[in-house]
Amino acid sequence: MCSRYLGFFLLVWFPGALHAQSAALQCAAPSLDRGYFVPVKETYSHDSKLTYACENTHKPAVEGWWAESVCQHGTWSHTPRCIEEKACIPPTIANAKYTEASEGWYEEGNIIRITCDKGYEHKDNIATAKCINGTWSSLPMCERSMSACSEPPKVPHAVITGLDYQDLFAAGSEVQYECEDGYTIDGVHTKKSTYCLSGHWTEGPVCGGGRGPGTDLGGSAVGGTGRRPGSGHGGTGTTSAGSGTRPVGGGSSTSSGTNEEEIQNAPIESCGKHPSIPNGEIVDTREMFLKYACNTFYTYVGPKTVVCHSDGTWSDVPSCRATYCSVDTHQYRELYSDGVKYVKDGEGRKLACVKLDEWWTDHFSEVRCTNGRIRLSECCSWLTIKSLCSGTLRKRRLLLPLDLLTE
């Protein structure tokens, strides 16, 4: 008898509960001032869509002259709203953040200032944008900083711990390697950190194994060649690749009793991993040679091609010499503090100056790099005659850790 009454109760209660749940998921018709929408209903079920447009002199608060909104769990995906045509909607700027307006849009004349994400810097020193007649003027962009680093180098028998993968790291970033079980860095430690400094990673660990004869410092089998692999790290001037190493800038690495004249070239696959060079990359891979190119702000120095020798060693590799100047804006009171800026040798760029009052706008210092030395002009407006703006130049000592020039 009890079970019969329970069943009757559930039949009555469940439909009511489902109806209440369904009503909670519904959206009420939006209140749209200065606009209209279709279809017109009193309530809209979950996942229902409506399309709306605005009257003359107004526009939707999203991109386009008409817009669509979706009912999601009792709330519209964006609240349908019409704003003045001269107002601006929030811009989309990659790798940047800025303070969003509480209303969801910006009135004409509003100014936003963006902050670039870590590892990025303002392109052309533009950090602000102004809403003018419904559009943004001089919308800022964030480009990769010259002082940022790409992903840390791969280390055999080691992983990076405590950090999700990312392909760009800001200057000063730290990552920690940890050797796999059975491998150590110096026979004792299993962890070591490396740091991003001026666009390069400091020396990383070498996880050695000691798992019997025929195992090198990285734990890979050498296999009866009679040669002991070189270190190829820590500024020793060598490049290690595959089964052999060869000094950078001269000399050769050969097995015992072999004359250099007897060494012949072999297909590059015979030498294993391709050698890498700081601030450069491989741009052409052929059966018998490799070609490299340097990154922006660096000049190519050394052989045009790199070949593999028959003894498993690489020929001399090129290097990339820095050809740029840097300006640390933190060290100049008249400049807007925005980190370190880089200028190619023989070129110039404009750096934003500190705003002195509300009328002080669009003032910049002309910066030029000549033979590794920086010259800065006085802060001037775009409206100032160019000859007057660049008339007074102050000579600055190079702010780079490069020994290219001396006083």
Side-chain angles (χ1 to χ4, degrees):
M1 179 67 69
C2 290
S3 61
R4 181 183 303 173
Y5 283 116
L6 178 60
F8 176 77
F9 171 77
L10 292 176
L11 288 174
V12 174
W13 179 79
F14 268 118
L18 292 175
H19 176 75
Q21 183 180 14
S22 175
L25 296 177
Q26 292 180 343
C27 294
S31 176
L32 185 60
D33 187 29
R34 300 278 186 169
Y36 50 90
F37 56 88
V38 293
V40 177
K41 299 180 181 180
E42 291 185 0
T43 60
Y44 297 80
S45 60
H46 177 68
D47 280 341
S48 293
K49 299 179 182 179
L50 65 77
T51 303
Y52 71 97
C54 300
E55 299 174 358
N56 291 337
T57 71
H58 283 71
K59 62 183 180 181
V62 293
E63 194 68 45
W65 65 267
W66 81 93
E68 184 179 81
S69 186
V70 182
C71 176
Q72 294 288 321
H73 303 287
T75 304
W76 292 106
S77 59
H78 80 270
T79 303
R81 183 177 288 113
C82 292
I83 62 177
E84 293 185 358
E85 285 186 339
K86 291 185 177 181
C88 293
I89 62 175
T92 300
I93 306 176
N95 308 310
K97 298 179 181 65
Y98 59 89
T99 302
E100 297 183 2
S102 58
E103 300 85 359
W105 74 89
Y106 301 82
E107 296 181 356
E108 183 180 25
N110 284 170
I111 296 176
I112 60 171
R113 176 178 290 276
I114 70 166
T115 301
C116 293
D117 294 341
K118 291 183 178 180
Y120 294 86
E121 62 183 7
H122 298 104
K123 183 177 181 180
D124 298 328
N125 297 303
I126 299 176
T128 61
K130 186 176 183 179
C131 177
I132 301 177
N133 197 25
T135 59
W136 293 102
S137 65
S138 303
L139 198 62
M141 296 178 62
C142 291
E143 59 184 1
R144 173 173 171 166
S145 172
M146 287 294 299
S147 59
C149 296
S150 300
E151 64 177 29
K154 182 179 180 181
V155 174
H157 308 294
V159 296
I160 292 176
T161 59
L163 184 68
D164 292 332
Y165 174 82
Q166 58 189 81
D167 57 7
L168 187 66
F169 292 78
S173 296
E174 174 189 5
V175 297
Q176 186 177 74
Y177 290 89
E178 182 172 350
C179 300
E180 67 172 287
D181 289 344
Y183 290 82
T184 61
I185 297 171
D186 51 11
V188 178
H189 300 93
T190 59
K191 298 180 180 181
K192 182 179 180 180
S193 293
T194 181
Y195 302 87
C196 174
L197 299 177
S198 301
H200 310 291
W201 290 103
T202 58
E203 179 186 350
V206 176
C207 295
R211 295 185 174 180
T215 303
D216 65 5
L217 292 177
S220 59
V222 176
T225 60
R227 297 193 302 271
R228 183 178 64 83
S231 63
H233 66 279
T236 58
T238 62
T239 300
S240 93
S243 59
T245 60
R246 184 176 179 81
V248 175
S252 62
S253 174
T254 64
S255 59
S256 177
T258 304
N259 295 325
E260 187 168 356
E261 290 76 9
E262 299 176 4
I263 299 177
Q264 299 179 349
N265 294 341
I268 60 173
E269 62 182 16
S270 302
C271 282
K273 183 179 179 181
H274 299 165
S276 60
I277 60 174
N279 306 304
E281 59 184 350
I282 298 173
V283 295
D284 192 6
T285 303
R286 301 293 179 90
E287 180 182 1
M288 298 300 294
F289 66 85
L290 302 171
K291 281 190 175 182
Y292 292 77
C294 293
N295 298 336
T296 306
F297 297 105
Y298 292 85
T299 296
Y300 192 95
V301 178
K304 294 182 178 180
T305 61
V306 175
V307 299
C308 172
H309 292 155
S310 57
D311 67 343
T313 62
W314 291 100
S315 64
D316 296 341
V317 297
S319 61
C320 295
R321 182 171 62 87
T323 53
Y324 61 90
C325 299
S326 70
V327 178
D328 187 351
T329 57
H330 298 298
Q331 298 184 8
Y332 297 86
R333 290 182 299 176
E334 63 269 37
L335 296 181
Y336 172 72
S337 182
D338 193 26
V340 179
K341 300 301 177 183
Y342 298 87
V343 186
K344 287 184 179 180
D345 194 67
E347 297 185 4
R349 65 183 296 183
K350 291 179 174 61
L351 299 182
C353 291
V354 174
K355 186 176 181 180
L356 299 181
D357 55 55
E358 60 179 338
W359 304 107
W360 182 275
T361 59
D362 295 329
H363 279 64
F364 297 86
S365 173
E366 181 76 24
V367 180
R368 298 203 65 83
C369 175
T370 306
N371 295 326
R373 293 185 180 275
I374 277 289
R375 303 176 73 199
L376 290 83
S377 75
E378 299 290 347
C379 292
C380 293
S381 169
W382 290 109
L383 301 179
T384 306
I385 300 175
K386 184 176 181 181
S387 60
L388 296 178
C389 185
S390 58
T392 304
L393 293 173
R394 298 189 298 277
K395 196 172 183 180
R396 302 293 192 194
R397 181 173 176 82
L398 182 65
L399 300 177
L400 281 177
L402 301 174
D403 295 329
L404 301 178
L405 298 167
T406 56
E407 289 289 349

